[in-house]
């Protein structure tokens, strides 16, 4: 990963899309961790947190599994993201404190309606990341990520969820939406957070 390019893009436009963000060997390991045979590890995703937590399948259709610090394959990814966290803190003074992330599997016919990643909670999300794990993705497969401008009216970029593509964006500034997928769609969604609570 070209940290200088990432830092510059985050500063100038607030987001960046990278292709082949990790070595293929690592991507293969991560894909194996979210293959369907292991789906009992996965739970239906909720919307919101605490008292506002809701199961809304029409808004959000994925099943998720948080990465496991004890798992050797997950560790590789978590270490790469922790390195990114430290490098970005050194360049952009974001004060990123930690990173939380989960595998997400969207079965055919599911989507995630337009939303912001910032939650009312104790630890605030500053930077969002999504790493895609879909080999041989076809145009008809759908499941693209549309990233909107701050007021949600114009699409700034549309990301195809291809194997190894990573998007990083400022969580508070970009509403985004996962279009309906026509096949199984796999990814890791994650968030760099600052410590403690902060008013939204
Ligand atoms: C999310 C999300 C985008 C994607 O999990 O919050 O917006 O492309 N995911 O999977
Ligand atoms: Mn999101």
């Amino acid at each position: 990963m070209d940290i200088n390019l990432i830092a510059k893009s985050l500063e100038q436009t607030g987001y960046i899309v990278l292709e082949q963000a990790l070595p293929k060997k690592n991507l293969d390991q991560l894909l194996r961790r979210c293959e369907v045979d292991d789906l009992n590890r996965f739970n239906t995703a909720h919307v919101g947190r605490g008292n506002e937590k809701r199961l809304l399948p029409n808004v959000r259709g994925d099943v998720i599994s948080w990465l496991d610090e004890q798992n050797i394959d997950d560790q590789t990814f978590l270490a790469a993201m922790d390195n990114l966290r430290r490098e970005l803190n050194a360049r952009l003074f974001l004060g990123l404190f930690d990173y939380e992330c989960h595998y997400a599997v969207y079965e055919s016919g599911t989507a995630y309606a337009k939303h912001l990643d910032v939650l009312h909670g104790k630890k605030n999300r500053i930077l969002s990341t999504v790493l895609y794990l879909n080999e041989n993705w076809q145009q008809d497969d759908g499941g693209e990520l549309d990233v909107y401008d701050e007021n949600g009216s114009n699409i700034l970029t549309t990301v195809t969820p291809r194997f190894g593509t990573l998007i990083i964006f400022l969580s508070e500034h970009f509403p985004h939406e996962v279009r309906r997928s026509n096949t199984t769609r796999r990814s890791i969604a994650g968030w760099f957070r600052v410590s403690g609570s902060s008013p939204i």
Side-chain angles (χ1 to χ4, degrees):
M1 281 193 240
D2 182 342
I3 309 272
N4 288 325
L5 178 66
I6 296 172
K8 197 171 115 205
S9 301
L10 291 176
E11 221 164 28
Q12 291 179 350
T13 63
Y15 68 92
I16 183 167
V17 180
L18 301 158
E19 281 169 27
Q20 202 59 44
L22 293 172
K24 179 164 170 9
K25 182 170 166 272
N26 294 350
L27 295 169
D28 287 340
Q29 290 165 341
L30 296 171
L31 172 59
R32 254 181 276 126
R33 288 275 295 152
C34 56
E35 294 285 16
V36 181
D37 60 348
D38 207 10
L39 220 64
N40 54 4
R41 254 185 33 246
F42 285 75
N43 296 305
T44 310
H46 290 77
V47 178
R49 250 189 199 171
N51 293 336
E52 295 170 20
K53 197 166 163 177
R54 300 273 182 280
L55 194 60
L56 296 170
N58 293 330
V59 175
R60 174 172 189 184
D62 55 335
V63 292
I64 64 168
S65 172
W66 294 92
L67 270 72
D68 177 0
E69 283 175 17
Q70 308 302 320
N71 178 277
I72 192 139
D73 297 324
D74 291 2
Q75 278 168 5
T76 310
F77 180 70
L78 293 169
M81 298 313 272
D82 200 57
N83 184 55
L84 179 61
R85 182 184 68 79
R86 280 183 283 105
E87 297 279 3
L88 289 177
N89 277 344
R91 287 168 176 76
L92 301 177
F93 312 105
L94 291 170
L96 304 174
F97 177 75
D98 69 359
Y99 180 71
E100 58 175 358
C101 60
H102 61 60
Y103 292 101
V105 178
Y106 290 77
E107 292 297 351
S108 182
T110 62
Y112 194 162
K114 199 198 283 183
H115 65 279
L116 271 179
D117 284 345
V118 177
L119 299 171
H120 300 268
K122 270 202 161 173
K123 288 190 175 178
N124 221 352
R125 293 170 166 183
I126 302 298
L127 274 185
S128 301
T129 67
V130 190
L131 173 71
Y132 299 102
L133 297 170
N134 306 291
E135 290 172 304
N136 307 314
W137 196 259
Q138 306 295 312
Q139 213 178 337
D140 293 350
D141 291 341
E144 296 91 348
L145 174 72
D146 285 327
V147 179
Y148 289 81
D149 61 10
E150 190 138 13
N151 50 37
S153 41
N154 299 304
I155 295 175
L156 297 175
T157 187
T158 296
V159 184
T160 305
R162 275 195 213 97
F163 199 60
T165 297
L166 173 71
I167 181 168
I168 307 171
F169 59 95
L170 294 171
S171 305
E172 292 182 27
H173 293 272
F174 300 99
H176 52 281
E177 169 176 8
V178 179
R179 293 193 208 165
R180 195 168 70 99
S181 186
N182 300 317
T183 184
T184 304
R185 175 194 193 270
R186 296 183 176 85
S187 60
I188 300 176
W191 300 272
F192 291 105
R193 306 181 298 186
V194 289
S195 172
S197 60
S198 80
I200 297 170

